[in-house]
Amino acid sequence: MRHTPVLLNEVIENLNLKKGAKVIDCTLGDGGHSEAILEHIGLRGKLLGLDADPESILRAKRFLYRFEDQIVFARENFSNLENIAKENDFVSVDAILFDLGWSSPQFAERSRGFSFDKDEPLNMRYDNRCQVFGSENCVDASLIINEYSLEDLIWIFKNYGEEELSREIAEEILSERKIKRIATSRELTEVILKVYRKKLRTDKEIPWIGGIHPATKVFQALRIAVNNELEILKNTLPLAFELLNKGGRLAVISFHSLEDRIVKQFFQSLPYAKSKIITKKPISASEEEIKINPRARSAKLRVIEKI
Ligand SMILES: C[S@@+](CC[C@H](N)C(=O)[O-])C[C@H]1O[C@@H](n2cnc3c(N)ncnc32)[C@H](O)[C@@H]1O
């Protein structure tokens, strides 16, 4: 299954792409956005595609093979954007895209514990750092859940997940892990469900809250903490803006309010004389797109131009 790119037409329209443009896709994934970008920039156009996940790079190479002479693939975290752009002569570009988060195949097929529906080891890293460096040098979701202090767990669930039962869930994790390590996504989900069942005084197997699974926020918080997502985004957006030519555009698709807030605040922090916000309000997916691709429901696209 190939990942379905969200807000594809909206991204293409708002990037204002010209033939021969130079573009950076910071989150290549399965290359859906890159493919459409390459179609728009023609044979003289060039694209630098980054992804921290080695499997995403391999997949994108297959999906984009017909453009291979125009693409530079980089298996890199976008926190290294400045260096990668310099090394590959992408220091003045016409468009940059961030489509944040994970791709559907990463979620469904890679056994990294991203999903509370599955019984997989608690990893949640986008890259394969743990395989490469060994587990002592690697922060993964299992290390956070099994080793971090009560206060640190509460902080992560509250700040990265906006989870209302942060303290109760953290306390339950500490009491479970005295008995045995919480090793899989299913075991962690069970701990969270136990807390929610107690709080809501129900014996329902899954006490859904307004259509949302009770484990959603803790899983989001862990993924953000493991990959240091918010800090990296905050630090990389200014570097990306610097790389744009005058008239160049930066587009960011985010999937939750914490990311969107960072993008919005960064755009607003830029001086009027240097930038023009193209999306006064973030662009959301149409009902038709959401019907075909439910993941698009929470997507928000913001675009800014360097002037
Ligand atoms: C939503 S997917 C992108 C999908 C892509 N636009 C497409 O059309 O197929 C996000 C991708 O960004 C990658 N990613 C997330 N954070 C990253 C980071 N800090 N640096 C590099 N890649 C990252 C993930 O591994 C994933 O492949």
Side-chain angles (χ1 to χ4, degrees):
M1 176 195 53
R2 186 175 180 186
H3 177 82
T4 309
V6 302
L7 295 168
L8 183 60
N9 295 334
E10 292 82 352
V11 166
I12 296 299
E13 245 165 60
N14 283 283
L15 280 181
N16 198 19
L17 299 164
K18 307 264 184 325
K19 297 282 176 217
K22 251 182 162 176
V23 180
I24 305 179
D25 183 347
C26 292
T27 50
L28 193 57
D30 274 354
H33 286 106
S34 280
E35 185 168 0
I37 290 170
L38 283 153
E39 276 159 5
H40 278 78
I41 60 180
L43 290 174
R44 285 183 300 108
K46 293 260 178 261
L47 184 132
L48 169 63
L50 273 65
D51 204 297
D53 175 12
E55 275 179 68
S56 291
I57 293 288
L58 289 177
R59 287 169 65 94
K61 279 187 177 165
R62 266 196 284 133
F63 290 124
L64 300 174
Y65 72 96
R66 69 188 163 109
F67 300 103
E68 65 182 349
D69 296 341
Q70 294 168 261
I71 312 180
V72 179
F73 293 96
R75 205 228 102 181
E76 288 287 344
N77 197 299
F78 59 65
S79 56
N80 296 332
L81 179 63
E82 204 178 6
N83 290 336
I84 306 305
K86 268 189 203 146
E87 279 166 24
N88 293 288
D89 190 25
F90 273 75
V91 281
S92 33
V93 301
D94 306 297
I96 300 184
L97 172 66
F98 291 83
D99 173 19
L100 300 168
W102 66 87
S103 67
S104 315
Q106 282 175 322
F107 199 78
E109 297 161 15
R110 308 264 172 95
S111 310
R112 299 219 186 129
F114 283 126
S115 165
F116 40 75
D117 290 336
K118 300 199 164 166
D119 202 16
E120 297 173 342
L122 276 175
N123 177 297
M124 295 201 194
R125 295 192 64 91
Y126 289 122
D127 58 23
N128 61 347
R129 197 184 144 85
C130 301
Q131 280 119 283
V132 175
F133 296 107
S135 53
E136 331 66 272
N137 293 315
C138 156
V139 175
D140 65 3
S142 166
L143 182 108
I144 293 179
I145 287 296
N146 290 290
E147 317 268 330
Y148 279 24
S149 68
L150 177 71
E151 290 311 320
D152 284 350
L153 288 177
I154 296 171
W155 192 94
I156 288 171
F157 299 158
K158 210 178 255 173
N159 289 287
Y160 293 161
E162 299 178 317
E163 168 60 65
E164 279 161 29
L165 300 187
S166 296
R167 175 168 290 279
E168 290 86 338
I169 293 171
E171 283 172 353
E172 192 59 39
I173 288 171
L174 258 73
S175 80
E176 286 287 326
R177 77 190 197 193
K178 273 190 208 143
I179 306 165
K180 76 177 232 341
R181 250 183 115 73
I182 300 169
T184 69
S185 45
R186 174 119 347 122
E187 287 170 13
L188 176 60
T189 303
E190 228 359 273
V191 174
I192 299 165
L193 289 175
K194 195 166 153 190
V195 172
Y196 267 93
R197 284 190 207 111
K198 205 177 337 165
K199 185 79 183 175
L200 301 172
R201 300 200 182 137
T202 174
D203 51 12
K204 277 191 196 153
E205 199 185 330
I206 301 176
W208 294 89
I209 309 146
I212 305 227
H213 191 292
T216 306
K217 292 178 173 178
V218 167
F219 272 66
Q220 171 188 304
L222 281 172
R223 206 197 71 222
I224 291 175
V226 164
N227 297 289
N228 197 14
E229 288 180 25
L230 301 184
E231 275 308 299
I232 288 181
L233 180 64
K234 226 182 264 174
N235 295 336
T236 309
L237 288 176
L239 302 175
F241 189 77
E242 274 308 302
L243 295 174
L244 289 175
N245 290 324
K246 283 198 175 151
R249 290 195 178 181
L250 167 64
V252 187
I253 305 173
S254 64
F255 289 87
H256 54 77
S257 54
L258 299 170
E259 283 172 348
D260 185 53
R261 203 174 303 148
I262 290 173
V263 181
K264 181 176 162 189
Q265 286 175 353
F266 169 64
F267 283 11
Q268 287 174 343
S269 74
L270 290 165
Y272 286 127
K274 260 182 100 179
S275 63
K276 180 167 123 205
I277 295 176
I278 303 300
T279 47
K280 298 285 173 256
K281 281 192 179 153
I283 299 175
S284 303
S286 63
E287 283 305 318
E288 295 83 70
E289 179 174 357
I290 294 169
K291 248 186 243 155
I292 304 165
N293 181 11
R295 188 169 185 273
R297 183 181 301 279
S298 44
K300 287 203 166 94
L301 168 66
R302 293 187 187 266
V303 183
I304 195 160
E305 181 174 313
K306 191 172 200 176
I307 52 177

